[in-house]
Amino acid sequence: MEVIIAPDYASMSRLAAAMVVDLLNAKPNAVLGLATGSTPIGTYQELVALYRARKIDFARVTTFNLDEYVGLPVDHPQSYSHFMRTNLFNHINVPERAIHVPSGTTTNHAAFCDWYEEEIKAAGGIDIQLLGIGGDGHIAFNEPGSSLGSRTRLKTLTQQTIDDNARFFDTAAEVPRFAITMGVGTILEARHCILLASGEGKALPVAQAIEGPVTSMVTASALQLHPRTTAIVDEAAAARLKLREYYRWVHRHKAQSQGPHFLRTAEASLPRDHLAE
Ligand code: F6R
């Protein structure tokens, strides 16, 4: 796994956005796998800024979100559908018909999940999958114990995830208990996975995912089996990585050997003044 330690959240977000820009420059009809939660918000702000600056075009892009709470309609303020519209879709030119967020209101979960998998296949598979990581090491809503071969399905959330997400609701009792989520196996089929993590609260799950054993108890650790995963973590989230000096060394040497393109991908040419530092 490639591990990039970014100085801070803003820099992590710029890097992730730059990788999306690079993909769309090469493949304008790319398929993006998207995450919700606090972590990717800065990346979405970057992408919106780049779109407004006419440096990126989403007209031919297709998107698939990782997950959605069961029971929340699309316009519920805490639904992931609403989150995506507010933070990204309302501000860019991705066509409505190309947006896919799992349904929070379907009553036929199994059939819906099969359909979602088929839609991903029909779109040609996911080119870049953005991922956050939960306090318990989950990716999407693949809670500890999830099969590492799992597909899109209905999943019961753990108490830790309910507690972690209670900050978005008025009371913990309002946090849904179930979600529809892409499976670990679904995620591992993306061509490039980008795992983002920021803040000291993520230091333990990040270390477990990147340097611990591959285990269903930390579903993000399955990314170690993926041929192309880039983890972009800020200093605080990197704090418990044993090999962090090595990762920095690798990144410096890669920048030298791969030349200006790599550096450009990393940071240059991106506007810096619109993100709260
Ligand atoms: C959200 C998702 C979750 C989050 C994770 C981290 O679509 O798939 O796995 O990425 O719970 O959430 P934040 O970013 O809020 O810490």
Side-chain angles (χ1 to χ4, degrees):
M1 191 184 305
E2 179 182 33
V3 181
I4 301 176
I5 301 176
D8 52 25
Y9 178 79
S11 169
M12 176 199 81
S13 305
R14 280 197 293 271
L15 268 163
M19 287 178 185
V20 174
V21 172
D22 249 18
L23 170 67
L24 295 191
N25 280 337
K27 186 177 179 185
N29 63 344
V31 178
L32 300 179
L34 301 174
T36 57
S38 14
T39 312
I41 289 176
T43 305
Y44 297 152
Q45 288 173 348
E46 284 289 340
L47 292 174
V48 169
L50 289 162
Y51 169 70
R52 289 188 177 141
R54 295 172 188 266
K55 290 188 177 170
I56 186 170
D57 179 17
F58 294 89
R60 299 175 63 194
V61 164
T62 301
T63 69
F64 287 91
N65 263 81
L66 286 168
D67 42 17
E68 177 61 285
Y69 287 121
V70 166
L72 301 192
V74 285
D75 56 353
H76 188 287
Q78 298 311 331
S79 76
Y80 285 171
S81 197
H82 184 266
F83 173 100
M84 288 309 301
R85 282 175 200 286
T86 315
N87 287 289
L88 186 65
F89 299 148
N90 286 351
H91 312 289
I92 60 174
N93 65 335
V94 62
E96 183 64 34
R97 66 176 184 287
I99 293 172
H100 302 81
V101 180
S103 166
T105 52
T106 179
T107 50
N108 193 339
H109 300 109
F112 178 84
C113 293
D114 287 349
W115 174 82
Y116 205 70
E117 291 271 340
E118 285 306 316
E119 285 293 292
I120 295 173
K121 255 187 234 144
I126 291 171
D127 290 298
I128 279 187
Q129 176 65 60
L130 292 181
L131 297 162
I133 183 169
D136 60 7
H138 67 226
I139 42 173
F141 272 133
N142 293 289
E143 300 285 34
S146 294
S147 158
L148 300 186
S150 53
R151 312 300 308 187
T152 303
R153 70 208 183 289
L154 183 69
K155 190 73 196 161
T156 310
L157 307 185
T158 60
Q159 192 60 48
Q160 183 177 345
T161 297
I162 291 167
D163 294 345
D164 284 352
N165 291 353
R167 66 192 194 277
F168 300 114
F169 293 81
D170 290 337
T171 64
E174 288 174 55
V175 186
R177 269 41 185 171
F178 302 96
I180 287 184
T181 180
M182 278 190 208
V184 180
T186 319
I187 293 167
L188 292 181
E189 283 174 8
R191 293 182 187 92
H192 183 191
C193 289
I194 300 180
L195 178 70
L196 302 175
S198 166
E200 59 185 344
K202 296 296 169 66
L204 179 60
V206 160
Q208 290 172 325
I210 295 175
E211 295 179 341
V214 174
T215 167
S216 66
M217 293 307 287
V218 178
T219 53
S221 67
L223 293 168
Q224 293 177 32
L225 300 171
H226 189 274
R228 188 169 177 219
T229 288
T230 307
I232 312 176
V233 301
D234 69 9
E235 288 287 349
R240 296 180 71 154
L241 287 171
K242 289 195 191 76
L243 299 183
R244 58 182 186 282
E245 288 319 315
Y246 174 65
Y247 303 136
R248 287 190 227 279
W249 189 86
V250 169
H251 193 57
R252 270 199 307 275
H253 285 77
K254 230 179 193 175
Q256 278 166 16
S257 68
Q258 295 189 8
H261 173 74
F262 181 81
L263 286 173
R264 203 168 48 243
T265 302
E267 295 239 39
S269 85
L270 288 170
R272 285 160 181 274
D273 49 3
H274 59 277
L275 259 193
E277 295 281 342

